[in-house]
Amino acid sequence: MIAKSKLHRTEQRYAYFFIAAPIIGFLLFAMTPLAYSIYGAFTDWNGLGRMEFVGLENFKNVFQDEYFYKSMYNTIFMMLGIPIGIVIALLLALALNRGIPGTNTFRVLYYIPVVSSIAAVSILWQWAYNGDYGLVNQFLAIFGIEGPNWLQNTSTVKPALIIMAVWKGLGFTMLLYLAALQSVPATYYEAAKLDGANAFQAFWHITLPMVKPVTFFIVVTNIIGGAQIFTEINVMTPTGGPEYSSASVVFYIWQKAFGSFQLGYASAMALVLGLFIFIITLIQFRINEKNSFDMD
């Protein structure tokens, strides 16, 4: 057995030190709160007093709570913006990938909303959607259209939030697609052209399959993020919208936890939401595995 040198042992100690920092941080600020929340889901707790164990009572109440189902429906409905954003972002990426003048300027303009504060952006859109003096209705008035009070109407509040979410995330999705498009070998398109393929056929049989890994990443991360939408709801519709038509699951959890101080019940809902996200993500991975291919 070869004895380790003093330098090797010193480097090993420093390595353990640097590894320990993120591990301890993860245990303290992720795993410990998670474990505490899981236990709290089985208790009646107001956040300050004694935690009283109630078993599965919280989960029973969750699945009998009409507001939980309504907030879940609202959350899933607002996820309709995911495919809309993907299609628009891909089209923009295709346009920018053609080397048109001003490409860098457009990239910056589309990416500004991504790096902007979500709270500030929500306030901006709240003003734009105002029924009396909002920019959206002023624009519609040019064409003789009388716009509604977007955030105070049950039929328009969710579409309004979807439009805002698509606009906010468009730049990030577009840049991912642009990077994927620029990594597609030009020889594939040259071979397709020699075989007589038109532009649509090249797009359908080359471009789409080649950007599929990026599409999978975007869909999974957007579903996870969409299931946890909160800030936009809290800023733009602080009461959950008319007839609670814009409240997301996380918004309802927050209200129960810090509005009604039912932290045990809120923890149970958070656990159900986490399980829902896990199942949907697992299904996405399974579908991706079945549809995977090798370009070689």
Side-chain angles (χ1 to χ4, degrees):
M1 183 176 178
I2 301 175
K4 296 180 180 178
S5 66
K6 182 178 179 180
L7 178 61
H8 178 83
R9 291 194 299 270
T10 302
E11 290 180 343
Q12 194 173 45
R13 283 195 296 269
Y14 278 114
Y16 286 140
F17 174 77
F18 284 108
I19 293 172
I23 292 177
I24 293 173
F26 176 74
L27 292 175
L28 286 177
F29 301 109
M31 291 306 298
T32 301
L34 176 61
Y36 202 73
S37 177
I38 292 174
Y39 174 71
F42 297 92
T43 67
D44 180 14
W45 184 44
N46 62 6
L48 297 173
R50 181 174 174 270
M51 301 175 75
E52 181 181 349
F53 187 78
V54 294
L56 297 174
E57 187 67 25
N58 286 329
F59 295 95
K60 179 182 177 181
N61 293 334
V62 167
F63 292 109
Q64 294 176 347
D65 189 345
E66 62 176 311
Y67 284 102
F68 174 76
Y69 287 109
K70 189 163 189 176
S71 61
M72 181 64 80
Y73 167 76
N74 294 337
T75 303
I76 295 174
F77 186 94
M78 285 186 281
M79 286 186 190
L80 292 175
I82 296 175
I84 296 173
I86 287 176
V87 171
I88 296 175
L90 180 56
L91 292 175
L92 288 174
L94 288 169
L96 294 179
N97 193 45
R98 297 177 67 87
I100 60 177
T103 297
N104 292 333
T105 302
F106 281 113
R107 289 182 189 176
V108 173
L109 291 176
Y110 284 123
Y111 202 75
I112 286 176
V114 179
V115 297
S116 300
S117 166
I118 185 62
V121 167
S122 299
I123 293 172
L124 174 67
W125 278 90
Q126 185 182 35
W127 170 82
Y129 281 134
N130 187 279
D132 297 323
Y133 53 80
L135 188 62
V136 174
N137 282 356
Q138 289 183 26
F139 175 77
L140 293 176
I142 298 174
F143 304 96
I145 302 173
E146 184 179 353
N149 194 346
W150 295 86
L151 301 178
Q152 300 301 321
N153 191 313
T154 56
S155 61
T156 58
V157 63
K158 283 192 284 290
L161 291 168
I162 289 173
I163 293 171
M164 180 268 207
V166 170
W167 174 84
K168 179 75 169 65
L170 194 61
F172 179 71
T173 306
M174 181 202 66
L175 282 184
L176 288 178
Y177 272 130
L178 187 58
L181 290 172
Q182 291 178 348
S183 66
V184 178
T187 52
Y188 291 168
Y189 295 106
E190 293 170 359
K193 189 175 181 180
L194 291 173
D195 289 339
N198 56 35
F200 177 78
Q201 290 172 328
F203 170 77
W204 188 261
H205 294 288
I206 299 176
T207 305
L208 280 184
M210 290 299 291
V211 301
K212 182 183 173 183
V214 173
T215 302
F216 170 69
F217 171 79
I218 292 170
V219 170
V220 170
T221 54
N222 274 270
I223 288 177
I224 294 173
Q228 302 176 73
I229 183 173
F230 169 74
T231 305
E232 301 91 321
I233 311 297
N234 192 39
V235 173
M236 299 175 70
T237 56
T239 61
E243 300 179 17
Y244 222 59
S245 56
S246 67
S248 65
V249 177
V250 174
F251 179 84
Y252 185 48
I253 291 172
W254 176 82
Q255 279 196 328
K256 283 295 182 182
F258 302 105
S260 304
F261 296 102
Q262 299 179 33
L263 269 79
Y265 186 58
S267 297
M269 285 194 290
L271 201 58
V272 172
L273 176 61
L275 184 61
F276 169 77
I277 294 174
F278 174 77
I279 292 173
I280 295 299
T281 304
L282 184 62
I283 292 173
Q284 289 291 325
F285 272 93
R286 294 298 185 189
I287 294 174
N288 184 67
E289 288 177 1
K290 289 182 180 179
N291 296 331
S292 61
F293 66 95
D294 188 356
M295 290 298 293
D296 295 334

